[in-house]
């Protein structure tokens, strides 16, 4: 995006975040041509780690830049391994008298066909090595054992969040799950006691735009150790061997989108890290970590361990969600069987028989339900007044006649039936079946909680809406806009809930028929 181009939600997803031409200065970046071991690109902050200016580094051999021993070692290492990721980091020494322990993180960047091979070397100085191999291994082993013991999806998420927090020391670790439209929800959280909870909050898809989600399917971890960092340019701008900017998809120092940095600052975040959770190769969610008390810099080894836990969680969550679905479907079969048995008790009216307790609500996980049958009505939970119910049943009747379905399921009455929605302000989701002649069962769901009050949170700073002549889209404004778009929606009705509603309908139609026959017999 050019500096004068206004940023909006449309071009937000066009920001080419894989080729920013800049890095985060917590380390330095070198691009080395494999054929002769010479540096062809570097970040302008190289001096911080290697003590030489960029001009002296470009064109020099790696041995001249890092010392002959480490230079040769890294070149040999690269020549030996086609896949470099499993061998990271390579531990070297940099600084005065080679006194600073440094992690060299190597990868081969994506290149155009036929381009000369290059290796990217990122150097992060580690003042201390907090987790050496044996205790990284211990921490991961304990975490895996606990994950293995978790018997529900919720327990799995919470256990994972707690272990990632323990391992990395972030103030808050969240499991963030995408829905079908890529909006997200915080489904588990481990945090410092004194922080307010984000559990259950929803965020719009635009907070993590399409190209970012695509990048996160390839590179599974990213760290912003200090949201106030001043980026270092990669020079020269284009890789001389290709004439194109260096692709930083797999880089660990890649400079992140300025919009996202502004977003984090608005949230009061000082450092952020996220790890991809994948299902069948597609991004399912993220482990999102925040630090509030300033910068936070977990070492490469700690990040790698956390990434490994993310992969383990990705595998386990697929198995566990199948298991949870099975358990839920057994529970709803039981509920249904009980309701059907009670509906046959002809000493009680049908509406009373099925609303005597909360089972009808639990069957489809609704906030309210109203049953109209045999000239009576009864309800559980939160439902509209009689007039409102009549409106809903009228609409349901028309809609079912139109679609020839047995069940109507909508998660936004405002979208599905704007003509009556204004009169039913408390209703968001509707699931309904007709039995016959205006007899019906209608379940209702409240609007989902999607309120993050950015403005009202004392941690959040004031938001600059304009900067020079460039109008910047603040995350807060995007949130308001999104809230307009999605307000009045409930959680969508799951397929299982729709099926249960259909099954209940058949049983109640039959129960009404049997009751009718009894009344006819009694009259004869
Ligand atoms: C990236 N947005 C991200 C990332 C997260 C979020 C986790 C990944 C980068 C990271 O690890 O920090 C969003 N973070 C959240 C959410 C929570 C959280 C929802 O903690 C909830 C608790 N963002 C906007 C708008 C734009 C935008 C309006 O809100 C664009 C106009 C862009 N977000 C944006 C971009 C990235 C991003 C471009 C990619 C950053 C990068 O990797 O370069």
């Amino acid at each position: 995006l050019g500096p004068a181009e206004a940023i909006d939600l449309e071009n937000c997803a066009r920001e080419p975040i894989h080729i920013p031409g800049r890095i985060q200065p917590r380390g330095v970046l070198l691009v080395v041509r494999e054929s002769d071991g010479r540096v062809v690109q570097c970040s302008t902050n190289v001096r911080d780690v290697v003590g030489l200016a960029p001009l002296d580094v470009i064109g020099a051999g790696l041995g001249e830049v890092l010392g002959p021993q480490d230079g040769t070692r890294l070149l040999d290492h690269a020549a030996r391994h086609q896949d470099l990721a499993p061998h990271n980091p390579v531990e070297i020494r940099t600084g005065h008298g080679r006194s600073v322990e440094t992690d060299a993180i190597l990868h081969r960047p994506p290149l155009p066909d036929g381009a000369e091979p290059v290796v990217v070397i990122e150097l992060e100085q580690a003042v201390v090595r907090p987790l050496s191999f044996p205790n990284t291994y211990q921490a991961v082993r304990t975490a895996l054992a606990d994950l293995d013991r978790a018997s529900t999806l919720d327990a799995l998420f919470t256990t994972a969040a707690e272990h990632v927090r323990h391992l990395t020391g972030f103030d808050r670790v969240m499991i963030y799950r995408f829905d079908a439209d890529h909006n997200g929800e915080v489904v588990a959280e481990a945090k410092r006691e004194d922080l307010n909870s984000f559990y259950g909050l929803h965020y719009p898809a635009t907070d993590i735009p399409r190209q970012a989600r695509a990048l996160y399917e390839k590179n599974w971890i990213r760290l912003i150790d200090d949201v106030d960092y001043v980026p270092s340019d990669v020079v020269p701008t284009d890789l001389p061997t290709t004439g194109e900017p260096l692709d930083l998809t797999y880089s660990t120092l890649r400079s992140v989108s300025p919009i996202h940095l502004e977003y984090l600052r608005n949230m009061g975040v000082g450092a952020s890290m996220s790890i991809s959770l994948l299902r069948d190769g597609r991004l399912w969610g993220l482990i999102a970590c925040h630090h509030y008390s300033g910068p936070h810099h977990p070492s490469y080894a700690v990040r790698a361990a956390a990434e490994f836990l993310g992969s383990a969680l990705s595998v386990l969550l697929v198995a566990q969600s199948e298991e949870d679905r099975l358990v839920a479907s057994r529970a709803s079969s039981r509920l249904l069987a009980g309701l059907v048995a009670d509906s046959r008790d002809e000493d009680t009216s049908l509406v009373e028989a099925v609303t005597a307790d909360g089972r009808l609500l639990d069957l489809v996980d609704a906030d309210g339900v109203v049953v109209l049958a045999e000239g009576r009505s009864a309800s559980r939970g939160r439902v509209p007044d009689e007039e409102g119910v009549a409106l809903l049943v009228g609409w349901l009747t028309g809609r079912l006649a139109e679609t020839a379905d047995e069940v109507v399921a909508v998660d936004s009455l405002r979208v599905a039936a704007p003509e009556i929605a204004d009169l039913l302000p408390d209703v968001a989701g509707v699931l309904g079946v007709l039995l016959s002649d205006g007899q019906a069962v209608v379940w209702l769901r409240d609007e989902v909680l999607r309120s993050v009050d950015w403005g009202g949170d004392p941690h959040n700073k004031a938001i600059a809406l304009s900067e020079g002549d460039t109008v910047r889209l603040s995350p807060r404004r995007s949130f308001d806009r999104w809230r307009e778009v999605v307000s009045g929606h409930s959680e969508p009705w799951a397929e299982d809930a729709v099926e249960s509603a259909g099954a209940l309908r058949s049983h109640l139609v039959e129960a009404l028929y049997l009751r009718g026959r009894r009344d006819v017999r009694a009259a004869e």
Side-chain angles (χ1 to χ4, degrees), residues 12 176 203 207-209 216 254 256-257 260 263 272 274 290 478:
C12 211
Y176 186 77
Y203 298 82
D207 280 17
I208 310 173
Y216 302 168
R254 179 178 60 85
V256 301
S257 162
H260 181 55
Y263 176 100
S272 169
S274 60
H290 288 173
S478 91

Side-chain angles (χ1 to χ4, degrees), residues 73 77 85-91 102-106 129 300-301 304:
R73 214 176 116 215
H77 178 84
H87 306 285
N88 282 329
V90 182
E91 296 181 3
T102 301
D103 286 333
I105 302 147
L106 280 66
R129 292 200 184 282
Y300 183 83

Side-chain angles (χ1 to χ4, degrees), residues 7-13 15 17-18 20 172 174 176 178 184 186 198 201-209 211-213 215-216 221-224 254-261 263-264 267 269 271-275 286-290 292 452 454 473-479:
I7 292 165
D8 63 27
L9 291 179
E10 266 316 300
N11 62 21
C12 211
E15 183 183 352
I17 62 170
H18 65 299
R172 185 198 304 274
M174 295 165 275
Y176 186 77
F178 294 113
V186 177
F198 286 1
L201 292 181
H202 291 244
Y203 298 82
T206 45
D207 280 17
I208 310 173
Q211 87 282 26
R213 293 193 307 267
L215 192 151
Y216 302 168
I221 188 163
R222 59 222 62 89
L223 168 68
I224 305 162
R254 179 178 60 85
S255 188
V256 301
S257 162
I259 303 259
H260 181 55
L261 292 172
Y263 176 100
L264 291 173
M267 275 180 130
V269 171
S272 169
M273 185 173 89
S274 60
I275 302 167
L286 293 171
I287 303 177
C289 313
H290 288 173
Y292 299 94
V452 188
W454 305 102
L473 179 79
S474 80
R476 164 141 179 77
R477 285 209 307 180
S478 91
F479 188 78

